[in-house]
Amino acid sequence: MFSSIRNVYCVGRNYKAHAEELGNELPKEPMIFMKPSHALTPADGSVIALPGLRGELHFETELVIRIGRGYEPGLTADELIDGMAFGIDFTLRDVQSGIKAKGLPWLPAKGFLRSAPLGPWLEFLGTAQLARQDFTLRKNGEEAQRGNVSRMIFDLQRIIDFCAAHYGLGQGDIIFTGTPEGVGPVKDNDRLELFWGEEPAGAFTVSLQ
């Protein structure tokens, strides 16, 4: 599932309500960070071991897009994206707060092993279709997050063009496009389930270690 993935880009603070819930300023351009490919792990119903001794571990549910061809200026998102999935950008929140205060990189808070569970690839129906359906996260059967791409600060085209211009973008790259409001901590044995509308889009059980 992950053998063809190259770069893992992530967009921070791409939903206004999420930035506000954490007390962060709204960005004026896409805020891009990366996760190592080793952070990826399948959200295939199994148990995922995650760090439980480094402060609160927060879930952040996101639409993930896959780039299916080399970027060329003028190509649209619909021409470049060949698949989508839903995943979690796990964040060690206490660690992140500490390194942000020191002006240090986010890697320890965002890039640890298995910090990016990813559901199965789904057919990408085009950007016009995405806003017609919400994506959700259920924790232990209760809805914890709900998002819709129409509420993104930067749309997929802007994100793609920005990544390409500043860092390069090619076939096999994936982009976590940001999380809506409602992020929160997980506990040991929590069951997380991802949905695209009513369609299951990944699930796993947390094992804090």
Side-chain angles (χ1 to χ4, degrees):
M1 177 181 178
F2 303 139
S3 60
S4 62
I5 293 175
R6 297 172 64 200
N7 296 303
V8 182
Y9 293 112
C10 304
V11 186
R13 303 180 193 172
N14 199 26
Y15 287 78
K16 181 175 181 289
H18 169 59
E20 290 174 343
E21 75 178 343
L22 295 184
N24 294 321
E25 293 183 4
L26 297 183
K28 294 180 172 58
E29 62 182 22
M31 179 185 293
I32 305 299
F33 63 95
M34 298 185 72
K35 286 179 179 272
S37 59
H38 300 290
L40 295 169
T41 190
D44 58 2
S46 60
V47 176
I48 296 178
L50 293 164
L53 302 176
R54 301 175 65 192
E56 285 196 344
L57 178 67
H58 281 204
F59 56 80
E60 299 188 9
T61 309
E62 310 202 7
L63 165 71
V64 183
I65 56 173
R66 182 178 64 194
I67 303 301
R69 59 183 290 187
Y71 178 88
E72 297 174 22
L75 289 177
T76 67
D78 287 347
E79 293 173 310
L80 288 161
I81 300 169
D82 76 343
M84 68 179 199
F86 295 90
I88 304 290
D89 165 21
F90 271 120
T91 304
L92 286 164
R93 191 68 70 199
D94 295 333
V95 173
Q96 185 188 39
S97 296
I99 59 181
K100 281 170 62 178
K102 298 176 182 178
L104 298 175
W106 287 9
L107 185 62
K110 293 279 196 177
F112 53 91
L113 285 171
R114 297 176 293 278
S115 64
L118 189 62
W121 292 110
L122 307 173
E123 180 183 3
F124 180 71
L125 300 176
T127 52
Q129 297 291 327
L130 284 181
R132 298 181 181 180
Q133 193 155 255
D134 292 348
F135 61 90
T136 57
L137 172 71
R138 297 176 191 171
K139 184 173 75 167
N140 301 323
E142 300 291 331
E143 183 174 305
Q145 274 189 288
R146 176 175 292 268
N148 188 292
V149 298
S150 65
R151 298 197 290 273
M152 286 182 173
I153 298 173
F154 305 106
D155 64 18
L156 297 185
Q157 189 68 54
R158 177 79 169 101
I159 292 167
I160 286 171
D161 290 340
F162 187 89
C163 286
H166 289 81
Y167 312 110
L169 195 67
Q171 183 177 6
D173 292 342
I174 67 172
I175 306 174
F176 281 68
T177 60
T179 192
E181 70 275 14
V183 303
V186 292
K187 297 179 180 179
D188 194 38
N189 293 319
D190 276 349
R191 183 69 173 175
L192 301 185
E193 298 172 288
L194 298 157
F195 290 87
W196 170 231
E198 294 300 318
E199 178 183 357
F204 59 96
T205 299
V206 173
S207 175
L208 295 183
Q209 300 179 2

